[in-house]
Amino acid sequence: MGPARAADLEKLGLRTVEDLLYHFPRRYEDMRLRKAIREVAPGERVAVVGRVERVTERLARSRWGLVVTRALISDGTGRMGLLFFTQSRRLPTYLSRQLRPGMEIEAFGEASLEGDLLVIKNPVFAPAGQASLHLGRIVPVHPLAGELTARFLRGLIDQALTEYGGMLEVPLPFPVDPPVKALSKAEALRRVHFPADWGEAEEARRRLAWEELFFLELALEWGRAALRQQRRGPLCGRDGPLVRSFLRRLPFALTASQKEALAQVAADLESGRPMRRLLQGDVGSGKTVVAAYALLKAVENGLQGALMAPTAVLAEQHLETLSRFWQGLGVSVALLTGDLPREELARLRREVAAGRVQVVVGTQALIQAETAFARLGLVVVDEQHRFGVLQRLALSAKGENPHVLIMSATPIPRTLALCLYGDLEVTVLKELPPGRQPVRTRWLTPDQRPRVYQFLRRQLAAGRQAYLICPRIEAEEGEAGAVQRAKELAESEFQGFRVGLLHGRLLPQEQDRVLRAFRRGEVQLLVATTVVETGIDVPQAAVVVVEEADRFGLAQLHQLRGRVGRGTAPAWCLLLADPRTPEAKRRLEILVETGDGFRIAEEDLRLRGPGEFFGLRQHGLPELGLRAADLLADVDLLAAAQREARQILAADPTLEKPPAPLWRAELASRYPRLLPEPV
Ligand code: ADP
Ligand code: MG
């Protein structure tokens, strides 16, 4: 390959022969339909076979020196013109070589009428009767870049399949339910690129998807089994007086889901193995109390606990919540964020290192190298989707295999969770605390803003509080920003009401001050950016208005809506938007239709594709190396792959029995970072 072509291939992400083999068609063109010229109708995409009668060339009257080459062909039933438009006066060699009078050719394209002559413009053509990659079959249409032509790339892939296809073979088990056809990998790859019929391509893709998902699940289950067998976690005893008195004094009765979650967490902590649990629950489902329980249980067993939040504001709120839950229990809790004065931070870190602080609540600063714990026993990570997998590992490396509890309001579809968090056990808080009312969601156009303001004033006057969310801090290009909006509203429509402003560029102390004022009811209308998106819990807030709602993603809007409806007053979410794309419109419709976080997550996945889904890139989804598999379409295969992997590992935990050693080698090359160190 010359450097220019190599560079073009590189633009498509193609560096190796294997990349090329996995460069799947974007779509296919069915070129199998051949007709006699007399039977061709204008508008049809069709192939004809005929003899070349005459070839003429003429310079088109255009500034670019376009050359039009015309060939007249006939097949005994009629005549047809083939038109080729080329840039240069010199005919491309393939044209001049293969378009000579007397030759029999096959041509494919869309027929149209020119005067009373049927023509095909820029047809695909080749000498008739020659087996071809480009004609007379279902022809793959591959993504292209730079100067690459479809013909060239097709030929290259064909060559790679012939010369290298057989070198990638790994023995595989094939499931019966759902059925996967036991094709060799070489054959499956060939059929995806050059299928003989429609069914064959999809069948072959599923075969390749199965292979990917099989190895993915084998890696995840292998890691999970290794964790179960080889590591010991800090051991906790049954609930003692401290935990029992916390439970007794809770200001509410736990929901059934919360009780179940507590029982599972207790079993983990008392097992002697490190907990690896994901606690999923829609916004407002009450995850914090589960964290408070787990942390207190660690404390009661002489361990330290850490609670990580994605923002300083949220960390501060958690500190307050924990302090309230644990009032009078004598637990020493500290807030550790990156913006503390240097001396204060150093002092706190010394206290943590000496073990005098029992529970640390903080932001990422926590995981910076300087924070050492005396005996870290439990790490709770809130709102996991903001953290990468690596951060999660960095924190758990700080103790002797501390227990890890990850809390996420991101309702990842269950099957996807299985794949992403294959190393975690999953607990779901299925219900919301009693008395919650669904948030009434309405989508309004921006010209209805006066009505919205009037509604807001009535709500505030009735003692409720509200958020008004803007997509940006400062105004730009005539679009309102939070700063201007807050000022404007305080001076006009909301004169006499107490308006606050919250955004990420305020000093953290200022953010805390505003949020506290809002929580105490001193601020009635909080104009804010998406800093309030995650976790903020102010039960009296009953209305959230989102300006330019089409600017936000579906998950974000669901999170924003989750800021209200946390109390017992009827709650409202008003979306102001004039969406410009059908997708943005669809997002708003979905939100109005449903409050079910899981459905929203699935719709989101569908609208955006897995790559964009909740920023899954950070989760390392591309690292999973799925090229043939589609997590939504192949969910059945994913589940089957997990069953298969579990069975294999149960019978052969170290993958020693042939062909398992080959699988181990395959895992090492596919997932060098996913696998635990050999112990
Ligand atoms: P999230 O799961 O979104 O983090 P929180 O833990 O912040 O939810 O809880 C949301 C609100 O519901 C809080 O005000 C909390 O005190 C309250 N809450 C939690 N559990 C219950 C319950 N069982 N009954 C009543 N209120 C509850
Ligand atoms: Mg929360």
Side-chain angles (χ1 to χ4, degrees):
M1 188 82 43
R5 278 190 169 151
D8 282 344
L9 290 173
E10 176 108 33
K11 282 182 203 147
L12 292 168
L14 308 180
R15 293 200 186 83
T16 66
V17 175
E18 190 177 5
D19 292 340
L20 197 59
L21 293 176
Y22 275 91
H23 186 59
F24 292 146
R26 184 157 34 85
R27 58 185 182 85
Y28 302 87
E29 171 100 52
D30 191 348
M31 301 195 190
R32 288 173 300 180
L33 180 67
R34 288 199 184 101
K35 278 194 171 177
I37 291 175
R38 196 179 45 204
E39 275 152 28
V40 173
E44 238 177 332
R45 292 182 75 75
V46 69
V48 296
V49 176
R51 197 168 293 283
V52 179
E53 294 195 337
R54 197 166 66 220
V55 181
T56 57
E57 248 180 66
R58 117 187 121 73
L59 194 63
R61 262 194 296 172
S62 101
R63 279 186 289 161
W64 298 289
L66 197 67
V67 176
V68 185
T69 305
R70 281 174 174 270
L72 198 65
I73 62 168
S74 85
D75 69 350
T77 72
R79 286 212 164 88
M80 184 177 243
L82 304 179
L83 271 57
F84 299 87
F85 302 87
T86 42
Q87 290 292 339
S88 96
R89 272 206 70 78
R90 262 192 58 214
L91 222 48
T93 37
Y94 79 94
L95 267 185
S96 56
R97 229 190 289 136
Q98 298 178 345
L99 262 192
R100 280 204 297 263
M103 290 182 114
E104 173 121 290
I105 64 164
E106 173 165 1
F108 175 90
E110 184 176 322
S112 57
L113 268 182
E114 201 173 78
D116 50 11
L117 184 67
L118 272 174
V119 298
I120 297 180
K121 291 175 183 158
N122 283 326
V124 182
F125 82 100
Q130 236 174 52
S132 166
L133 296 175
H134 316 292
L135 260 180
R137 53 159 34 256
I138 296 176
V139 176
V141 181
H142 294 102
L144 297 173
E147 306 281 293
L148 295 172
T149 66
R151 246 169 214 269
F152 169 76
L153 199 58
R154 238 178 259 140
L156 196 65
I157 289 171
D158 177 57
Q159 187 190 345
L161 283 167
T162 307
E163 290 175 24
Y164 300 91
M167 296 167 88
L168 300 168
E169 223 59 57
V170 202
L172 275 188
F174 288 98
V176 216
D177 179 27
V180 175
K181 187 154 187 162
L183 297 167
S184 74
K185 186 160 173 178
E187 183 55 28
L189 284 166
R190 176 161 290 283
R191 289 185 188 189
V192 168
H193 288 287
F194 300 106
D197 59 58
W198 291 118
E200 204 175 271
E202 173 58 11
E203 197 176 63
R205 186 198 66 76
R206 292 264 290 179
R207 150 66 179 82
L208 297 171
W210 164 255
E211 177 174 321
E212 289 174 352
L213 297 173
F214 172 72
F215 285 116
L216 174 63
E217 285 303 329
L218 197 60
L220 292 172
E221 291 297 320
W222 165 279
R224 190 189 255 179
L227 212 64
R228 262 200 303 264
Q229 286 170 7
Q230 294 157 351
R231 303 261 172 98
R232 303 200 61 71
L235 187 64
C236 293
R238 308 289 297 271
D239 289 352
L242 193 65
V243 170
R244 285 208 302 269
S245 108
F246 153 77
L247 289 174
R248 224 173 19 247
R249 294 183 335 184
L250 276 178
F252 43 72
L254 294 170
T255 64
S257 286
Q258 282 171 325
K259 280 187 194 149
E260 206 180 306
L262 254 50
Q264 284 173 339
V265 167
D268 288 344
L269 296 179
E270 293 164 16
S271 72
R273 290 187 301 271
M275 168 166 71
R276 295 285 179 277
R277 188 166 292 279
L278 172 67
L279 178 64
Q280 279 195 309
D282 209 346
V283 285
S285 58
K287 295 180 289 294
T288 318
V289 68
V290 181
Y293 168 80
L295 288 165
L296 196 63
K297 197 167 164 77
V299 168
E300 187 162 48
N301 286 276
L303 302 164
Q304 285 173 299
L307 172 55
M308 272 175 83
T311 63
V313 166
L314 212 54
E316 160 98 0
Q317 178 185 290
H318 277 319
L319 181 84
E320 277 175 33
T321 308
L322 292 179
S323 309
R324 216 170 338 110
F325 279 148
W326 296 342
Q327 206 164 25
L329 297 180
V331 182
S332 81
V333 192
L335 184 71
L336 197 64
T337 54
D339 46 81
L340 285 175
R342 193 173 310 217
E343 312 82 74
E344 177 64 7
L345 191 63
R347 193 187 62 75
L348 274 175
R349 283 193 160 129
R350 279 196 304 276
E351 297 285 295
V352 174
R356 281 190 292 274
V357 168
Q358 293 168 298
V359 173
V360 182
V361 181
T363 54
Q364 275 92 327
L366 258 186
I367 61 169
Q368 283 164 5
E370 303 92 280
T371 306
F373 290 81
R375 38 173 204 290
L376 182 61
L378 168 67
V379 177
V380 181
V381 184
D382 192 20
E383 304 300 348
Q384 157 71 6
H385 67 284
R386 293 290 189 92
F387 293 102
V389 173
L390 289 179
Q391 277 168 302
R392 180 167 107 204
L393 294 180
L395 190 58
S396 49
K398 286 193 168 297
E400 291 287 305
N401 297 315
H403 299 286
V404 178
L405 178 66
I406 288 163
M407 305 197 292
S408 175
T410 309
I412 296 167
R414 187 158 174 80
T415 43
L416 201 51
L418 181 87
C419 158
L420 277 177
Y421 301 111
D423 58 328
L424 303 176
E425 311 283 338
V426 182
T427 300
V428 182
L429 295 184
K430 295 179 208 78
E431 79 255 65
L432 297 179
R436 296 283 171 78
Q437 303 190 27
V439 179
R440 290 161 219 201
T441 305
R442 300 285 182 272
W443 163 23
L444 302 140
T445 48
D447 57 310
Q448 289 170 293
R449 191 173 277 124
R451 269 185 58 205
V452 171
Y453 288 160
Q454 195 185 3
F455 174 76
L456 270 181
R457 282 193 297 268
R458 276 206 310 273
Q459 290 281 315
L460 299 187
R464 316 240 160 76
Q465 289 171 259
Y467 299 94
L468 189 133
I469 310 295
C470 297
R472 61 188 78 72
I473 299 175
E474 299 282 349
E476 59 185 51
E477 289 165 24
E479 313 261 33
V483 174
Q484 289 77 14
R485 198 36 50 96
K487 186 162 183 290
E488 197 179 287
L489 293 183
E491 286 166 2
S492 54
E493 277 96 342
F494 290 87
Q495 226 171 20
F497 292 98
R498 298 180 299 277
V499 179
L501 171 67
L502 184 69
H503 59 74
R505 237 182 275 151
L506 293 174
L507 287 176
Q509 298 91 304
E510 175 65 7
Q511 290 185 31
D512 288 342
R513 198 190 59 70
V514 174
L515 207 64
R516 244 186 255 140
F518 187 58
R519 191 165 293 136
R520 284 199 294 259
E522 291 156 17
V523 164
Q524 296 170 285
L525 175 65
L526 185 61
V527 180
T529 58
T530 51
V531 284
V532 302
E533 176 194 330
T534 28
I536 301 292
D537 181 39
V538 179
Q540 320 82 274
V543 187
V544 56
V545 178
V546 185
E547 297 258 9
E548 296 171 61
D550 51 319
R551 295 295 175 102
F552 299 95
L554 201 43
Q556 247 184 334
L557 288 171
H558 181 62
Q559 282 284 338
L560 287 168
R561 174 167 64 180
R563 296 312 109 215
V564 300
R566 304 171 82 83
T568 43
W572 293 86
C573 172
L574 306 177
L575 305 167
L576 284 168
D578 192 4
R580 264 157 262 175
T581 65
E583 258 180 39
K585 184 161 172 262
R586 183 77 197 116
R587 287 201 296 269
L588 299 171
E589 285 167 355
I590 291 166
L591 227 63
V592 171
E593 255 165 59
T594 183
D596 176 353
F598 282 82
R599 244 210 74 200
I600 288 173
E602 269 163 15
E603 292 288 346
D604 201 29
L605 189 55
R606 203 157 283 138
L607 282 176
R608 295 209 260 176
E612 299 303 319
F613 177 70
F614 294 130
L616 281 189
R617 271 178 217 298
Q618 287 146 283
H619 279 290
L621 200 59
E623 279 170 29
L624 301 182
L626 301 180
R627 294 189 277 201
D630 169 335
L631 287 175
L632 269 191
D634 301 326
V635 146
D636 55 339
L637 291 182
L638 185 68
Q642 188 178 47
R643 283 195 299 274
E644 188 75 45
R646 283 188 174 166
Q647 262 168 29
I648 288 169
L649 286 165
D652 179 14
T654 44
L655 295 180
E656 309 280 349
K657 296 180 201 147
L662 293 174
W663 295 339
R664 238 168 38 205
E666 186 74 19
L667 291 181
S669 81
R670 278 175 188 253
Y671 302 115
R673 273 181 294 173
L674 213 74
L675 290 183
E677 298 286 310
V679 179

